[in-house]
Amino acid sequence: MDSLTREEESSREEPGKIKDTAEESESKRLLSSQSPSSSSSDDENEVAYESREKIVIVDVETPESIGNVDYVPPFSWKKLWLFTGPGFLMSIAFLDPGNLEGDLQAGAIAGYSLLWLLMWATVMGLLIQLLSARLGVATGRHLAELCREEYPTWARFVLWFMAELALIGADIQEVIGSAIAIQILSNGFLPLWAGVLITASDCFFFLFLENYGVRKLEAVFAVLIATMALAFAGMFGDTKPSGKELLIGILVPRLGSKTIRQAVGVVGCVIMPHNVFLHSALVQSRKIDPKKRGQVQEALNYYSIESSVALLVSFMINLFVTTVFAKGFYGTKQADSIGLVNAGQYLEEKYGGGLFPILYIWGIGLLAAGQSSTITGTYAGQFIMGGFLNLRLKKWSRALITRSFAIVPTIIVAIVFNTSEASLDILNEWLNVLQSIQIPFALIPLLTLVSKEQVMGVFRIGPILERMAWTVAALVMIINGYLLFDFFVSEVKGVFFGLTICIWTAAYIAFIVYLILHGDALPSTWFDRELFKRHSIGC
């Protein structure tokens, strides 16, 4: 099948203009199929991508497709290539410095025993991200925009505030990770705060890239992911972890009492609240008419393949990091003290220099992870702010505001914690808690919306997938709840602080219950079953 793509030169192309070639007439047919109401709505409301920014994917008409909105063309490798991009940008959240720190600590403390959990956590993350993509493609709107319409004003502002907090927490970790990498690669010449300022400049690099179109931006992220893969694969090759232990770790579930905290960390790192918002917006970079069911189904098919491949790559990278540190530090006295700040130094002491020291290989991989994740964080911030608040700002204004939210506190953190590795580790624990707290406020609205026929139409998820999604969401929230409980039990001291946490926890749980009950978020079969039980008991 022939497939064509191009960046639109204008969102106001004249539909009545006569084209001579078959290619131009096909483009005209596709563009004119967009409804006028949707076009005028773009002028009034914040949208993920302007019409002129979207990539147009044009099919040559066949007898089967004429007048048939349900027609799904056969699979095409060329089409798959055109849809490739959003899933890889989404996968970067699975590879940010916070995840890498979780990987290295899991390897150092638990050895190979948590590799099975890493694999299944990635599968759970894939399910959530596919639902996010489904929402964006089927509705033509992203999660933050739909939340703005679904919830009352007070709840919408709470959700926006929580999403911004999660984004700031993730961004601080990502920027600090980049700054640590810059410090490693400069051989300690540049202090942490200087690395933060250098990383902050990625905002302008991001704006520069956007001027050249979506595909150019996606290509840069592909290079960064390839850099991470090569760097960490190189470390894997140098250290030569045990293949037998690796396979046993993946295939045989094991969980000891001493590795519970690391297990919770592995699962907790998988669902990033801002990433759920991000993916539902990224899939709109391709021009798809939500009113044409065949186009929507085709896009969902290709995005499912692309996202699965992207997360397979991310799983392999996380696997490399975990096994390198399992091989080098499991069962050693350094295992309990290793973290993102001192990991490079420990690697150098363990494996020495060589032609290209492993310290610098680690630094290059960490820099690619930090830079890519900070840029996607800026991207996510634009969608979250624009969607919840319906702001019609220029992209440079939104990016600057989003960047400032994270960079200002990060610079303060870098200056205050620059001389203490232990303090940075404590800070990282608090930031993990901050992000864990926000997870229900991304997952519950997502599952509520994809379960609603009035929102999704025929693309509403079925009862089996709905139960699976709620089970995964519940599991993730319970695991993160354990992390929060464990953290507060060990850190909260004093009556006043304890009372404050109790009041805050009550309000937090009440809001979660509100979100679940809002719009019959839980599967109706669950309510029917519970009502039947209560009625039976009453009789």
Side-chain angles (χ1 to χ4, degrees), residues 105-125:
Q105 289 175 341
I109 295 171
Y112 300 90
S113 65
L114 296 181
L115 292 179
W116 66 275
L117 189 59
L118 175 63
M119 180 181 70
W120 285 108
T122 305
V123 171
M124 290 194 298

Side-chain angles (χ1 to χ4, degrees), residues 110-417:
Y112 300 90
S113 65
L114 296 181
L115 292 179
W116 66 275
L117 189 59
L118 175 63
M119 180 181 70
W120 285 108
T122 305
V123 171
M124 290 194 298
L126 174 62
L127 173 62
I128 297 300
Q129 294 303 149
L130 289 179
L131 292 179
S132 176
R134 188 183 189 91
L135 180 72
V137 174
T139 64
R141 316 194 73 184
H142 59 82
L143 181 56
E145 290 178 299
L146 291 167
C147 285
R148 186 181 74 232
E149 296 180 354
E150 176 72 16
Y151 296 99
T153 303
W154 70 270
R156 169 170 36 108
F157 276 106
V158 173
L159 287 172
W160 169 67
F161 179 72
M162 292 299 189
E164 290 289 356
L165 273 184
L167 183 60
I168 290 169
D171 219 359
I172 290 175
Q173 285 182 314
E174 293 155 3
V175 172
I176 291 290
S178 288
I180 291 169
I182 291 170
Q183 196 172 46
I184 290 171
L185 295 174
S186 68
N187 206 23
F189 177 75
L190 292 172
L192 209 58
W193 63 266
V196 169
L197 292 177
I198 292 170
T199 305
S201 65
D202 67 21
C203 170
F204 304 102
F205 177 62
F206 163 74
L207 291 172
F208 172 76
L209 285 177
E210 275 203 310
N211 292 330
Y212 289 90
V214 173
R215 293 298 270 178
K216 304 294 189 302
L217 184 66
E218 290 170 352
V220 169
F221 282 104
V223 170
L224 290 170
I225 292 173
T227 302
M228 277 186 270
L230 290 172
F232 297 133
M235 289 171 51
F236 182 85
D238 283 347
T239 56
K240 297 180 176 58
S242 167
K244 179 182 175 182
E245 288 291 331
L246 190 154
L247 281 175
I248 292 173
I250 291 176
L251 299 175
V252 180
R254 289 177 292 172
L255 187 61
S257 58
K258 295 180 180 178
T259 60
I260 292 280
R261 194 178 182 89
Q262 282 65 47
V264 169
V266 166
V267 178
C269 288
V270 165
I271 308 295
M272 305 288 282
H274 71 274
N275 208 36
V276 178
F277 288 97
L278 176 65
H279 199 197
S280 65
L282 290 174
V283 293
Q284 293 173 47
S285 58
R286 275 61 176 170
K287 200 172 186 72
I288 300 158
D289 186 354
K291 295 180 181 177
K292 295 188 174 181
R293 294 188 291 272
Q295 278 191 26
V296 173
Q297 186 59 60
E298 180 186 39
L300 291 175
N301 294 343
Y302 285 118
Y303 280 137
S304 297
I305 297 169
E306 182 240 4
S307 297
S308 300
V309 172
L311 289 192
L312 175 62
V313 172
S314 77
F315 169 70
M316 293 304 298
I317 293 172
N318 285 313
L319 180 77
F320 290 152
V321 175
T322 304
T323 52
V324 164
F325 284 87
K327 165 74 183 211
F329 303 101
Y330 177 56
T332 66
K333 61 181 181 181
Q334 299 104 321
D336 291 326
S337 60
I338 199 166
L340 207 60
V341 179
N342 56 21
Q345 193 62 42
Y346 281 158
L347 284 170
E348 187 176 41
E349 291 172 2
K350 181 77 176 179
Y351 297 106
L355 183 63
F356 195 72
I358 196 170
L359 170 67
Y360 296 117
I361 298 176
W362 167 252
I364 290 170
L366 182 58
L367 182 62
Q371 286 294 325
S372 57
S373 54
T374 51
I375 298 174
T376 53
T378 303
Y379 221 10
Q382 292 188 64
F383 295 135
I384 289 170
M385 181 180 290
F388 275 111
L389 304 183
N390 197 23
L391 294 179
R392 297 285 293 175
L393 297 175
K394 291 184 182 295
K395 286 197 171 182
W396 68 266
S397 302
R398 281 189 296 170
L400 198 59
I401 293 170
T402 304
R403 213 79 206 96
S404 301
F405 279 167
I407 291 300
V408 172
T410 306
I411 291 174
I412 295 170
V413 164
I415 293 171
V416 172
F417 295 98

Side-chain angles (χ1 to χ4, degrees), residues 478-491:
I478 289 169
I479 288 171
N480 280 279
Y482 173 85
L483 174 66
L484 295 176
F485 177 78
D486 181 62
F487 179 79
F488 284 129
V489 165
S490 60
E491 296 294 329

